[in-house]
Amino acid sequence: MSRTRTPESTPESTRRSTRTAARTGARARRLTPPRLSPRDVLHVGSAGLRSRPMRVFLSALGIAIGIATMIAVVGISSSSQAKLLRELDALGTNMLVATPGQGMFTGQDTKLPEDAPGMISRIEGVESVGTTGDVAESVRRSENIPKGETGGVVLKAAKDDLLGTLRAGIASGTWLNGATGRYPSVVLGDVSARRLGITEPGQQVFIGGRYFTVIGVLKPIPLAPEIERSALIGWDAAEQLLGFDGHPTAVYERSADDRVAAVRKLIPQTANPQTPSAVLVTDPSAALQAKAATEGAFSTLLLGLGGIALLVGGVGVANTMIISVLERRHEIGLRRSLGGTKGQIRIQFVTESLLLSGLGGLAGIVLGGAATAVYARAGDLPWVVPLWAVTGGFASTLAIGTLAGLYPAVRAARLSPTLALAAA
């Protein structure tokens, strides 16, 4: 059985198919670049860092200094704020102080009525009231010291409920009570005790021509610094032994948190119904609240300086990467001649820049946290480093690393393989 052949067409079809297959295969080979896994990218990106450790250290140091400055500034500010807020939580923000002011028309100093503390205690929402009155006598360590040399210590008469209202603590000894308040006994604030050289209860100070026995020393009272610089005697003893007139000069009151504003409006007309305008009402916690709110105001300047240091570090990284590209032209040309694409070259150098910046960022976070810890320990502060500062600082280093590596990476990718190998 015979088969029909077309000798002319068959070889031509075969050749045409062969050429088509060859072109397709060549195109496929040209369009399929070698692939780099993430592990390969990390390996080639870290190769330049491993070969030049000293340069890497110096470049990363600039980044580390910038991040350490930023972390330390934020951490120290946050630690100080945490201490102030902790003190406010312990001392409370619900205390008001009523003091005598000046007459509206006469301009002369006025006095609070003797029954002002009792009247204030009847205001709805008031929980406790403590009272002090200034006594015009000097407090000296002994009678041999001149009367004018008081060291800034003032004498005040105090009622028994003052300690509880202030939420103050006794460092040593005891507080005035119904018995000791009638006799020549005195309690010193912590500042006045240091100024008088009193180290423990049982010692004596000279007041109004006689010696008073120190029965206690108070702990610091941030909401009432005037008490820290005072010597406190009983209300009865001040009247009977020193001629105190009985008019209070400061009435401290604690009220419910939700009643502070309302109580503040009622205190002047309640304490002195005849001349309410002569009564001054202050919130001693406002100073601490303002201090806590403005604790980071000066830190903004230091934070800006840290940002400048970080930018300088980024410039150092960019400079290092440019030098690295110039020194490694032979490597770049060899990789390109073996099939490496421009994109892979760019990824390699951007990865190297990111690793360099990341190492500096991690070192800076550790240094900044350590500096904050040292400061907090020295100042008896809680150690606080906000998470946003750590994450934001590290993210900024990565962003700077990316920007610093872009130009060197693009420059490396544009190198001609032939010229790069010829220049080696």
Side-chain angles (χ1 to χ4, degrees), residues 225-373:
E226 67 279 3
I227 301 298
E228 297 177 347
R229 300 185 295 270
S230 302
L232 305 169
I233 61 176
W235 201 270
D236 294 336
E239 291 179 328
Q240 298 169 11
L241 302 178
L242 301 176
F244 174 54
D245 62 6
H247 286 276
T249 51
V251 180
Y252 303 86
E253 70 81 26
R254 292 274 184 181
S255 55
D257 291 335
D258 59 346
R259 292 286 301 170
V260 173
V263 170
R264 183 167 189 165
K265 294 179 181 179
L266 295 174
I267 285 179
Q269 60 194 37
T270 304
N272 193 347
Q274 295 181 348
T275 54
S277 60
V279 179
L280 301 178
V281 182
T282 58
D283 179 2
S285 66
L288 283 179
Q289 295 181 50
K291 186 177 181 181
T294 60
E295 185 66 32
F298 182 69
S299 301
T300 304
L301 174 61
L302 298 178
L303 197 62
L305 294 177
I308 294 174
L310 186 60
L311 291 176
V312 171
V315 173
V317 171
N319 184 56
T320 299
M321 295 305 302
I322 291 174
I323 294 175
S324 179
V325 170
L326 295 175
E327 292 179 345
R328 296 161 65 186
R329 285 179 296 178
H330 178 72
E331 174 192 337
I332 297 169
L334 186 61
R335 288 199 59 201
R336 289 296 311 280
S337 64
L338 293 177
T341 64
K342 292 183 178 181
Q344 291 172 348
I345 299 298
R346 285 194 293 266
I347 290 175
Q348 173 186 347
F349 282 93
V350 170
T351 301
E352 184 173 332
S353 178
L354 278 173
L355 290 174
L356 181 57
S357 300
L359 289 174
L362 291 176
I365 290 172
V366 173
L367 291 175
T372 303

Side-chain angles (χ1 to χ4, degrees), residues 34-54:
R35 295 182 179 179
L36 290 178
S37 65
R39 181 177 180 181
D40 295 331
V41 172
L42 186 62
H43 179 75
V44 297
S46 61
L49 304 183
R50 295 194 303 268
S51 61
R52 298 168 180 82
M54 182 54 65

Side-chain angles (χ1 to χ4, degrees), residues 137-147 155 180 182-188 196 198 202-215 231-234 237-238 241-242:
E137 290 288 349
S138 62
V139 182
R140 293 171 284 167
R141 188 67 177 84
S142 74
E143 58 185 316
N144 297 322
I145 297 176
K147 191 173 182 179
L155 181 64
T180 58
R182 294 196 299 266
Y183 297 98
S185 304
V186 61
V187 175
L188 300 177
L196 292 170
I198 302 297
Q203 297 176 282
Q204 293 185 322
V205 293
F206 193 73
I207 302 174
R210 69 175 66 202
Y211 281 94
F212 279 62
T213 301
V214 177
I215 63 173
L232 305 169
I233 61 176
L241 302 178
L242 301 176

